[in-house]
Amino acid sequence: MAEEKINHILVPKHEVCTEEEVKEILSKYNIKKDQLPRMSHKDVTIVSLDLASGTVVKIFRSNKTEPNSIFYRVVV
Amino acid sequence: MAEKIYKKINKISFGMQSPEFIGETSVAKIVTAELYEKEGYPVDGGLMDVHLGVIDPGLRCKTCGGKLKECMGHFGHIELARPVIHINFATQVYNLLRSTCNECHRILIDEKKLEMQKERMEKAKKANNSDRMRFITKDVLSKSRLIKKCAYCKAKQDAVKIEKPTTYYQGDKRLSPIEVRAKLEKINDADAELLGFNTKTSRPEWMVLKVLPIPPVTMRPSITLESGERSEDDLTHKLGDIVRINQRLFENINAGAPEMIIEDLWDLLQYHITTYMDNTVSTIPPARHRSGQELKTLTERIKSKEGRFRHNLAGKRVNFAARTVISPDPCIKFNEVGIPKSVAMELTIPERVTEWNKEWLIKAVKNGPKQYPGANYVIWPNGKKKKITSETMEQIMEELAVGFTVERHVIDGDQALFNRQPSLHRMSLMCHKVKVLPGKSFRMNPSVCNPYNADFDGDEMNLHIPQTEEARAEAEVLMEVQTQIITPKNGYNIIGCVEDSITGCYLLTKSQEISKEEATNILTSIGIDNVKFSKEKVTGSELFSTLFPEDFNFIRKNKEGEVVVRFKNGKLDKGIIDKNTIGENNGELIREFYRKYGQDKTIVLMGNIFQMGINTLLKLGFTTGVSDTDLSDDVRKKVDSMIKRAYIKVEENIVEYKKGKIEALPGKTSLETLEIKAMEILNKARTEIGDFVKDFVTKDNASIIMAKSGAKGNILNFTQMTGCIGQQALGGKRITRGYRNRTLSTFKENDLGPEARGFVKGSFKKGISPTEFFFHAMTGRDSLMDNALRTPKSGYLYRRLANALQDLKVEYDHTVRNASKEIVQFKYGEDSIDVSKSEGGTISVINAIHDVLGEKA
Ligand SMILES: [Mg+2]
Ligand SMILES: [Zn+2]
Ligand SMILES: [Zn+2]
């Protein structure tokens, strides 16, 4: 069941960031990793990916006024 | 001054002070109740000892050498001749005595269970779960206190009792505090941990005092009365009693006085120390002043509404503020506030005397505090401040020169901050210009009721006068009414025209044609005197158009896309002005004007429209009364027949249902289907009655005009007054509650007809039958209760939400971050739209194109 959650139509696309991407994000916003929004490694959407703490996840979520919204979360 | 280095607090731990700690931190041992020597110098070893800090200017602290305000003060101590119980720990001491053995002082539960509890406690401690730790302690206490025989030394246990507040008995024998302390001393550390003590910071026996810390004089300063007499703080009084009795107890013990006398003094010492800690203990009489007033001791300083937390820390008070009842005044501007003269003479503004304002400030000083516009205080360039009275007047007038500061009364045009609680959004505190008026209430334009959520059923509001140039500038630039026209909630205008002004503009632009004299009159009453009319007759639209600049274009379309209102080159050439054009939240015209001409011109325009509306209405005359709801016999008959037709339709459905022929809607039973159909039919009937009735009333029916213009009320209100109140519903369904199979005993069982299920066919004008009245009262009470329960709940919910969000901020890189700069959103709202510059949260691209290309697009 859990593996299917990430492919569910209502779950926005989650993608694991590469090291370079993470570096870029952190320097773009001038922050440390712990200042990113967090998500639990047990979160149903990513539990099947079995991500390590500290992984940054890129989330493509769109809404009425902004179809290309991008969000980042760090796994805790 | 030396640079201060701040350290971050890493941890706070709460515990008890040991006698050793009290001794170590003490800077002076207090041995005498005397306070001052004959010369007025504090006695060494007295309660005002200069080692404890200084409260007199000029003196220096003997401990740290600091002067007044430099030295924070230092604790002293007294050694008690005999120990006493700390009142705040009386119940804890009681619990410990009950739960431990009277002979060997172990916890009374047997070894196996004790080990188990200790393990649980260890686990909870590791998990840092203080709730769990507290629970285990409670569990241990309750399980051990009823055991009659010690599991370790097999001693029989005498019941320990407490006589409130601080006397303990073991069986029939009274335990002196010495004995209590001895018992507590013998509880071993491991047991104490289980009983809720962190033995590294707190030992049970410290709950019985051997030494008493004496707080520094800086927290109990004496005040010098005008007569030169010194008046000591309540705490000093109380400490004096303690020291006095303690010394007497020492003397009596040393002299070998009889035990009786010693015990009496000991009890007295206990009483004084108890009331010193807490003077509101219910079982003993409170200590009093000679005047009979109760002393305010340590606990009272902290506790309750007047205590340190709620009074001084949570509730700060300000000067230069006023509060009174508000009342409406349509004649003052939106950004003005009417304040009573009596208030204006209390609130002042400090103004520096210069060559340019010297003359009028001298006049203000001459008028003094009792004549408006005057002044209350004068401040010398060196900071000396003097109240203006008839005695000081002469000297002040002589010395007053450039460089002085005069605290003058507020005058028309000064900035004032106006506020109504609850302050839920930023529009709850706005800057208004002062307007001094006769009377005793604050006056405000009814158009600014909406942002404050105020009405005039007894509401009170607060007013503050900013005291510095910077504060006034900030208030004017950031908080004045015109800066708040558009709400950041949805980008709509929170301020607009209301009630009479809407009715007035509606009637004016609908079909009025007035003479040029009358038109000029209305304009003059607004304060516009530069408009000349060439024609003899002026239409309402032409008059209304005079308020707009010539390059103003505006189009309002309805949902179907038809043009409803149109301005072309500053002329209203189509449409009627109503709530959707100039009203609050809906006023499209207001928002359009705001976008093109800015806040200052908009507030002036709104004021002018408002004045034109009410002045038109004044000229036309406008009133509503019972006759508005009159219906002719014919119309009444038609209404009755419409109700009857609906009844028949419902009846038909009921017959179908009873035959079992009704076709059930998907997912519904046939009974539910019948109910839905009945509701539909009856509600439709009332709507039709409303539509029918409103066309048959006279053209100048005030209720209808108000409903159509959007000034107040709607067609449903009118229908209920004239035609039919309609179906009463509880929880979205017809009324079914009541007796078995029927709502009221007048109806037959299983009657599904309209009247048996809460349809009210009467109107408020005509009156309703007893059964209808009952049904109406049912829904009335339901909504009343709903409101009364929902309002505080949603209010608290909103408060919690606002508190959780209050320090979120949009940074320059468009991210939303909290106080520790953690990112909450990478783009404000995910779309970077500034809501206050949008229409209901979205940006219309088409409108933007229109703006650039002009009308053609
Ligand atoms: Mg009210
Ligand atoms: Zn000092
Ligand atoms: Zn024992």
Side-chain angles (χ1 to χ4, degrees):
Chain A
M1 279 304 278
E3 289 100 288
E4 288 159 27
K5 293 260 163 61
I6 197 162
N7 298 321
H8 192 279
I9 188 162
L10 292 178
V11 175
K13 190 176 152 201
H14 286 60
E15 201 179 273
V16 177
C17 291
T18 62
E19 209 125 303
E20 290 82 67
E21 271 183 291
V22 175
K23 232 183 229 169
E24 207 175 296
I25 295 159
L26 297 187
S27 78
K28 178 178 175 192
Y29 295 109
N30 190 22
I31 49 169
K32 297 215 179 74
K33 229 182 206 174
D34 60 357
Q35 285 169 295
L36 282 172
R38 287 176 274 271
M39 83 189 297
S40 168
H41 70 281
K42 285 187 276 185
D43 192 307
V44 283
T45 55
I46 58 159
V47 72
S48 61
L49 301 179
D50 194 25
L51 298 176
S53 167
T55 316
V56 178
V57 178
K58 187 178 188 181
I59 305 164
F60 300 82
R61 40 193 213 189
S62 64
N63 60 55
K64 201 173 67 186
T65 48
E66 179 54 75
N68 302 317
S69 181
I70 289 169
F71 208 83
Y72 300 97
R73 285 182 186 283
V74 62
V75 177
V76 290
Chain B
M1 213 179 14
E3 196 190 339
K4 281 181 180 147
I5 293 162
Y6 296 93
K7 288 182 185 170
K8 242 188 185 167
I9 294 172
N10 175 253
K11 187 164 132 189
I12 298 178
S13 86
F14 292 93
M16 288 184 280
Q17 291 186 327
S18 67
E20 292 76 35
F21 180 85
I22 296 169
E24 276 164 29
T25 49
S26 165
V27 295
K29 188 175 169 186
I30 308 303
V31 287
T32 169
E34 261 175 85
L35 300 177
Y36 305 100
E37 286 166 358
K38 274 183 202 117
E39 306 89 66
Y41 192 79
V43 179
D44 258 6
L47 282 166
M48 306 307 279
D49 196 316
V50 230
H51 287 97
L52 300 182
V54 281
I55 48 169
D56 291 303
L59 283 186
R60 269 181 188 279
C61 169
K62 275 195 181 165
T63 305
C64 67
K67 282 189 290 194
L68 181 67
K69 280 181 183 168
E70 288 173 358
C71 161
M72 289 200 298
H74 315 272
F75 274 87
H77 79 286
I78 52 173
E79 250 151 54
L80 299 177
R82 291 277 167 96
V84 292
I85 309 283
H86 191 307
I87 178 65
N88 290 347
F89 293 117
T91 35
Q92 276 82 341
V93 170
Y94 178 49
N95 282 335
L96 292 190
L97 293 181
R98 276 200 301 176
S99 296
T100 53
C101 173
N102 292 338
E103 299 291 329
C104 71
H105 311 291
R106 299 292 314 273
I107 297 177
L108 280 168
I109 47 183
D110 60 66
E111 195 142 24
K112 225 171 111 192
K113 281 183 190 157
L114 196 69
E115 278 314 310
M116 191 198 74
Q117 296 282 24
K118 277 180 181 165
E119 253 168 56
R120 285 167 79 195
M121 183 61 105
E122 216 43 57
K123 236 173 151 183
K125 257 183 207 167
K126 277 225 177 81
N128 226 343
N129 188 343
S130 48
D131 283 343
R132 175 84 184 147
M133 286 159 71
R134 220 165 283 144
F135 173 82
I136 295 165
T137 298
K138 259 191 190 158
D139 195 39
V140 171
L141 288 174
S142 71
K143 277 182 179 147
S144 55
R145 71 168 147 242
L146 292 172
I147 293 171
K148 291 279 182 308
K149 198 176 155 196
C150 175
Y152 304 91
C153 70
K154 313 292 179 209
K156 217 176 142 266
Q157 302 295 313
D158 282 330
V160 175
K161 284 195 205 79
I162 185 172
E163 192 176 277
K164 288 238 161 127
T166 47
T167 320
Y168 300 95
Y169 290 92
Q170 182 180 328
D172 297 325
K173 198 182 131 255
R174 181 176 168 182
L175 293 172
S176 74
I178 292 182
E179 290 164 296
V180 172
R181 197 167 200 280
K183 280 172 181 292
L184 298 179
E185 267 171 14
K186 282 178 197 139
I187 299 175
N188 67 42
D189 276 1
D191 281 3
E193 291 275 340
L194 200 52
L195 293 169
F197 286 84
N198 175 0
T199 44
K200 282 188 207 96
T201 57
S202 317
R203 273 291 311 176
E205 65 268 20
W206 299 347
M207 299 191 295
V208 182
L209 299 164
K210 266 189 354 188
V211 287
L212 185 73
I214 302 294
V217 287
T218 41
M219 70 171 266
R220 46 186 175 89
S222 56
I223 35 172
T224 316
L225 297 174
E226 271 175 44
S227 57
E229 228 179 317
R230 275 205 177 214
S231 172
E232 295 302 332
D233 189 272
D234 284 8
L235 282 186
T236 310
H237 276 297
K238 204 62 236 179
L239 287 167
D241 292 341
I242 293 170
V243 174
R244 202 170 303 116
I245 297 304
N246 193 44
Q247 288 310 112
R248 263 174 65 194
L249 191 52
F250 261 128
E251 284 158 20
N252 275 286
I253 292 168
N254 289 341
E259 200 53 33
M260 267 270 287
I261 291 174
I262 289 175
E263 251 167 49
D264 279 354
L265 280 172
W266 194 358
D267 283 344
L268 197 54
L269 183 65
Q270 175 75 62
Y271 168 79
H272 281 312
I273 291 183
T274 300
T275 49
Y276 163 69
M277 308 264 187
D278 186 353
N279 202 15
T280 51
V281 180
S282 55
T283 41
I284 49 168
R288 289 168 194 279
H289 276 290
R290 258 163 294 174
S291 62
Q293 218 209 323
E294 285 174 26
L295 289 167
K296 277 195 120 190
T297 54
L298 287 176
T299 305
E300 292 80 70
R301 278 194 175 197
I302 299 162
K303 248 205 322 212
S304 88
K305 211 167 169 190
E306 272 82 49
R308 206 93 312 161
F309 285 108
R310 282 173 72 186
H311 191 78
N312 304 101
L313 292 168
K316 293 208 170 61
R317 289 175 176 255
V318 293
N319 293 117
F320 306 103
R323 179 185 176 95
T324 180
V325 174
I326 50 166
S327 44
D329 186 346
C331 294
I332 67 174
K333 291 187 183 128
F334 287 22
N335 58 350
E336 280 179 335
V337 56
I339 73 173
K341 201 163 137 189
S342 54
V343 169
M345 287 163 71
E346 276 315 314
L347 300 175
T348 57
I349 285 180
E351 193 165 337
R352 176 69 59 94
V353 181
T354 63
E355 289 296 339
W356 297 277
N357 63 9
K358 197 173 167 188
E359 218 166 289
W360 105 263
L361 281 179
I362 284 175
K363 220 163 155 193
V365 173
K366 254 187 199 157
N367 279 339
K370 290 194 178 126
Q371 202 183 350
Y372 186 81
N376 293 353
Y377 286 92
V378 167
I379 302 162
W380 268 252
N382 62 14
K384 196 174 74 176
K385 190 169 174 179
K386 240 184 195 167
K387 196 173 168 68
I388 303 172
T389 59
S390 45
E391 287 95 59
T392 57
M393 175 77 84
E394 206 173 315
Q395 188 212 344
I396 290 170
M397 286 308 294
E398 228 166 73
E399 294 187 30
L400 193 67
V402 172
F404 278 53
T405 305
V406 176
E407 295 205 333
R408 48 150 259 250
H409 294 159
V410 292
I411 53 168
D412 287 7
D414 282 334
Q415 291 87 346
L417 297 182
F418 203 35
N419 163 238
R420 179 181 178 273
Q421 283 96 352
S423 310
L424 293 178
H425 53 194
R426 68 182 198 203
M427 290 77 79
S428 290
L429 179 73
M430 291 192 288
C431 173
H432 291 249
K433 294 284 165 70
V434 165
K435 176 111 183 158
V436 180
L437 295 173
K440 291 190 166 163
S441 62
F442 287 139
R443 251 57 56 82
M444 62 198 273
N445 190 295
S447 277
V448 291
C449 282
N450 192 35
Y452 292 114
N453 192 20
D455 49 36
F456 303 108
D457 60 2
D459 289 24
E460 290 181 49
M461 282 179 72
N462 302 326
L463 183 118
H464 304 266
I465 305 295
Q467 292 292 301
T468 65
E469 213 56 75
E470 291 91 334
R472 281 192 290 273
E474 207 166 67
E476 202 171 297
V477 173
L478 300 174
M479 305 165 77
E480 207 177 357
V481 173
Q482 58 260 41
T483 65
Q484 307 293 324
I485 296 170
I486 305 292
T487 161
K489 178 171 76 183
N490 49 21
Y492 294 152
N493 59 310
I494 196 165
I495 299 166
C497 290
V498 290
E499 308 194 351
D500 275 6
S501 55
I502 293 179
T503 313
C505 290
Y506 177 81
L507 291 177
L508 182 70
T509 53
K510 199 177 173 201
S511 57
Q512 291 299 317
E513 203 178 42
I514 49 179
S515 69
K516 109 178 177 190
E517 285 76 22
E518 268 181 317
T520 314
N521 247 337
I522 288 175
L523 283 177
T524 315
S525 62
I526 303 170
I528 296 173
D529 51 10
N530 55 0
V531 176
K532 278 211 171 74
F533 295 102
S534 46
K535 291 184 292 183
E536 274 308 308
K537 287 279 184 191
V538 180
T539 67
S541 303
E542 282 167 345
L543 179 55
F544 190 77
S545 302
T546 57
L547 302 177
F548 290 82
E550 271 174 21
D551 56 350
F552 180 65
N553 291 302
F554 169 71
I555 289 174
R556 189 169 90 76
K557 291 178 183 163
N558 63 10
K559 279 183 204 119
E560 284 78 47
E562 300 160 36
V563 175
V564 189
V565 179
R566 184 172 62 210
F567 269 86
K568 216 169 192 176
N569 300 327
K571 292 273 175 284
L572 175 64
D573 71 349
K574 185 177 184 334
I576 304 164
I577 298 300
D578 62 2
K579 194 183 181 215
N580 292 318
T581 326
I582 57 168
E584 46 198 21
N585 295 319
N586 306 305
E588 279 185 34
L589 182 141
I590 304 282
R591 292 203 295 278
E592 185 69 13
F593 197 89
Y594 182 92
R595 252 161 27 84
K596 279 190 186 147
Y597 298 93
Q599 56 189 39
D600 292 330
K601 280 191 173 152
T602 309
I603 201 85
V604 172
L605 175 86
M606 273 202 282
N608 287 342
I609 293 174
F610 185 90
Q611 290 300 327
M612 182 171 278
I614 58 171
N615 278 301
T616 309
L617 215 54
L618 200 64
K619 209 129 264 168
L620 295 174
F622 189 79
T623 181
T624 180
V626 181
S627 64
D628 274 358
T629 56
D630 281 342
L631 289 184
S632 67
D633 285 349
D634 289 352
V635 178
R636 186 74 246 173
K637 258 183 207 147
K638 180 84 203 305
V639 169
D640 287 343
S641 78
M642 283 166 93
I643 293 172
K644 201 168 242 169
R645 230 181 309 144
Y647 275 23
I648 291 167
K649 250 193 197 163
V650 172
E651 212 54 57
E652 283 167 7
N653 276 291
I654 293 171
V655 171
E656 290 244 316
Y657 164 73
K658 284 199 171 149
K659 278 190 201 152
K661 274 186 177 169
I662 201 162
E663 200 180 313
L665 294 167
K668 296 273 192 294
T669 65
S670 50
L671 181 62
E672 283 166 349
T673 311
L674 172 72
E675 284 297 315
I676 290 167
K677 281 197 168 167
M679 276 285 268
E680 243 174 48
I681 295 163
L682 294 168
N683 284 335
K684 209 174 127 210
R686 184 181 57 186
T687 320
E688 279 168 3
I689 289 168
D691 287 342
F692 171 72
V693 163
K694 77 163 195 273
D695 294 332
F696 280 91
V697 289
T698 46
K699 230 176 103 195
D700 56 353
N701 185 303
S703 301
I704 295 288
I705 290 174
M706 287 192 289
K708 276 190 177 170
S709 64
K712 203 89 209 186
N714 53 39
I715 296 293
L716 177 64
N717 296 142
F718 184 72
T719 315
Q720 291 194 322
M721 286 193 287
T722 54
C724 166
I725 292 173
Q727 179 67 49
Q728 301 298 304
L730 283 178
K733 296 198 174 75
R734 296 204 296 168
I735 293 168
T736 52
R737 289 181 54 97
Y739 298 89
R740 197 209 306 142
N741 296 331
R742 52 182 166 174
T743 49
L744 286 171
S745 50
T746 43
F747 302 112
K748 292 223 168 73
E749 277 191 47
N750 297 313
D751 186 350
L752 296 173
E755 289 191 6
R757 286 294 173 95
F759 184 78
V760 182
K761 67 174 181 185
S763 66
F764 289 127
K765 169 82 178 301
K766 194 178 129 208
I768 55 179
S769 74
T771 53
E772 289 175 334
F773 188 91
F774 192 82
F775 291 131
H776 192 248
M778 280 173 85
T779 51
R781 176 175 297 206
D782 184 61
S783 63
L784 190 78
M785 285 306 297
D786 201 59
N787 243 327
L789 298 178
R790 204 193 300 266
T791 316
K793 205 165 217 171
S794 66
Y796 181 47
L797 229 50
Y798 179 81
R799 191 184 146 75
R800 280 164 48 181
L801 183 71
N803 281 333
L805 297 178
Q806 66 184 356
D807 50 23
L808 297 191
K809 179 181 157 200
V810 183
E811 303 287 338
Y812 283 110
D813 63 356
H814 290 206
T815 57
V816 180
R817 303 194 189 202
N818 66 14
S820 20
K821 297 287 173 235
E822 291 171 336
I823 292 181
V824 175
Q825 285 180 340
F826 291 90
K827 242 175 164 191
Y828 170 68
E830 303 242 298
D831 52 19
S832 285
I833 289 179
D834 179 350
V835 181
S836 60
K837 293 193 173 81
S838 73
E839 292 262 321
T842 53
I843 302 248
S844 162
V845 181
I846 297 190
N847 281 355
I849 295 170
H850 273 252
D851 274 354
V852 178
L853 301 183
E855 280 303 301
K856 282 163 217 146

